[in-house]
Amino acid sequence: MTKFLLAVHVLAAIVAIGPVTVAASMFPPAARKALSEPRDGQARSTVQLLHRICRVYATVGVVVPVFGFATASAMGVLGDTWLIVSIALTAVAAAVLAALVLPRQTAIVEGIWHDTGTAGPRATVRLAMFTGVFNLLWATVTILMIIRPGSTTGA
């Protein structure tokens, strides 16, 4: 059962978190292009699509920690330091995504489509910074999951 849980956890991370990190990273440059070329419908549609990918896969990404906890419980490692740090970093990454990345993407998309003035180059720069923080947190969690400091598996 542990192998099944671990496989689902890893696949969920790849399928759910991977698209969010890629789409979120692509969003700021796409938004800058859409802002610089307001009549380019393709650029505006691209920004909207990237935002939709981020929202949908962020929601699907909830299964990653669910299967992660199940896997850790089956492996008997819930109290290990590397896992506790990974859980904390995952929570911070989720908070960054939910509180800083997605709302800013929404404001930019609305600003581009409705010309509300809420979108601008400065907004895309801040968004890129928060996206970078989100991606760095996930990269750190991934490394901790692979290396598992203190693990007796020899990894």
Side-chain angles (χ1 to χ4, degrees):
M1 187 63 156
T2 302
K3 289 181 182 182
F4 171 77
L5 292 171
L6 181 59
V8 173
H9 173 63
V10 171
L11 285 172
I14 292 167
V15 170
I17 307 304
V20 173
T21 57
V22 172
S25 296
M26 293 173 66
F27 187 95
R32 281 190 287 275
K33 181 176 187 220
L35 288 165
S36 68
E37 301 171 20
R39 292 190 175 142
D40 184 350
Q42 181 67 35
R44 292 167 61 171
S45 294
T46 298
V47 169
Q48 191 171 20
L49 175 63
L50 291 171
H51 179 52
R52 189 176 320 123
I53 289 168
C54 289
R55 280 191 341 257
V56 169
Y57 282 94
T59 303
V60 173
V62 171
V63 302
V64 175
V66 169
F67 279 97
F69 275 110
T71 304
S73 180
M75 293 174 67
V77 295
L78 279 173
D80 288 7
T81 303
W82 66 270
L83 184 65
I84 294 167
V85 171
S86 294
I87 292 167
L89 292 174
T90 298
V92 173
V96 168
L97 182 64
L100 301 172
V101 174
L102 293 175
R104 281 174 169 76
Q105 284 184 352
T106 300
I108 289 170
V109 167
E110 289 174 358
I112 290 171
W113 280 100
H114 304 295
D115 197 24
T116 61
T118 59
R122 189 174 191 177
T124 64
V125 170
R126 284 191 179 157
L127 175 59
M129 177 188 67
F130 292 129
T131 300
V133 169
F134 170 75
N135 290 342
L136 182 60
L137 288 164
W138 275 117
T140 304
V141 169
T142 302
I143 290 167
L144 284 171
M145 292 289 161
I146 294 168
I147 296 174
R148 299 185 331 162
S151 171
T152 58
T153 63

